[in-house]
Amino acid sequence: VTVAEVRERTLDELTLGSSLSLEELVERSALNEMAKSFHQLFGVPLRIFSDAGVLLADVSVQPAIYEYLAENHRRAKAALQEVVAGVKRVDPGPKGEAAYNCFTGAVYHVVAIQYDGRKLGRLVLGPFLPPTVKEIPQTLLAVEPEVDVAAAKELLFRMPRAREETVRQIARHLRGTLDLILFSGHKALLTSSMHLASVRESFRDLQEKNGKLQEAYDKLKELDRLKSNFLATVSHELRTPLTSIIGYSEMLAEGIAGDMTSEQKDFVRTIHEKGEQLLELISGLLDLSKLESGTLAMRRSEVAIDALVADVVQTVSPTARKRGVHVASQVDDALPRLWADPTRLRQVLLNLTDNALKFTPPNGTVTISARATSVDVAPPDDEGGVVLLRSKQAAIELRVSDTGIGIPDEEKLKVFDAFYQVDSSSTRQVGGTGLGLSIVKRLVEGHDGRIMIQDNKPSGAIFVVTLPCRRATLS
Ligand code: ADP
């Protein structure tokens, strides 16, 4: 079913169908209000019935004469019941209005309520007494000959008096007002039904799309899990033979299996070098898949930052010297210790420093610095909203800054994606896999830390890692 179809159907129902009733078009309270104000203006009792005969609005009181007759005269009581039923039966006919005369001399005026050629209900004005009635009428005496004429007359004349012509005019006026009310009621109903139909339709649409999205999401998640599993298995299986290749090529290069020509030695050295590269890549993949699946175990202990930085500086110095890049370190005194996995932390710092060296031309400088800072931590039960409840926690800020080519703003987030390289063209001078930073980021986050990139002045990049000294969450 399309929106158009729904709309058409609703329109059909609302314009042609016979299901529409007066109560649906106008609220009872509105009808009552209108009846009340007409009664106040003209003093004539008024009731409004639906087509099905349900009393929707009523501003009438039992006339005193009716009460008196019903209480004291059995026949008159029966006749009055007949009047009530008779008034209900009156068919306003094609003219839309008809009068009903009560044996007491009172008159009812019945008017049809129509809308769009459809009968919706009836207005009953009365009972009222036309001014022409000056005595107890013969009709009453015929029904109840023994009535106390003087008393009855006094009571009868308490009834609201109006000329029939006046009541007809009031009725016309009422119909006009009702027409207006019905028109706007119908319009409102039509609009809201159409609105409802289209809202319902778009809701259904959305639900359907939502379902499809969820399905796609689940599929992707499953695929991602399979990919991680596959990566983990494959890299694990590749590592074992690769270690042999590296080991044996190393032994060959050392001449354990006999002397080799210099060309053979060159070849074997290349095999060894490429083997090491491959091993690094595979270890990276393995780390990443473990980090993705959350199975990488962190072995935390107290880590002294100064020793860690010194170790990294020492490790990279040979490479730095080869590239002609100066490596410096700046570690503040008396830094608090970190509760972290020392191997993983070293991996983070080493990776960042390696990158800095890779992208810094000769005569540049790479600086590793560490200082104390603090981070906001939310209490464990905090849902993320109440900033006032957050507390500060001691943290360490590690910076690896270089004077190299720097990282453009639009690449600052992307470099943390797996396999992403700023310039991955074949003309690229430095090697690499594009895995390093994605692993670094996950390792930092595994320590509840954050990593971001700043620009160095006048050129170069600064990688800033902030690590809380203790875990924010207990686990
Ligand atoms: P790669 O193995 O290519 O170094 P990384 O994930 O470590 O992979 O880095 C991704 C990319 O980010 C690099 O290829 C490089 O383009 C850019 N990058 C990383 N560190 C630096 C840096 N210090 N200066 C400039 N660019 C950098």
Side-chain angles (χ1 to χ4, degrees), residues 355-356 358-359 402 406-407 415 420-422 428 432-434 436-437:
N355 275 351
K358 249 189 341 196
F359 297 101
D402 61 53
I407 299 175
V415 291
Y420 189 84
Q421 299 181 316
V422 171
R428 194 179 150 104
T433 57
L437 286 182

Side-chain angles (χ1 to χ4, degrees), residues 351-352 354-360 400 402 404-408 411 414-423 428 430-440 453 460-463:
N351 215 310
L352 293 178
D354 266 343
N355 275 351
L357 284 172
K358 249 189 341 196
F359 297 101
T360 303
V400 178
D402 61 53
I405 57 172
I407 299 175
E411 308 280 357
K414 293 192 209 151
V415 291
F416 293 109
D417 290 345
F419 299 108
Y420 189 84
Q421 299 181 316
V422 171
D423 168 24
R428 194 179 150 104
V430 291
T433 57
L435 278 182
L437 286 182
S438 66
I439 294 173
V440 163
I453 303 172
I462 307 177
F463 281 79

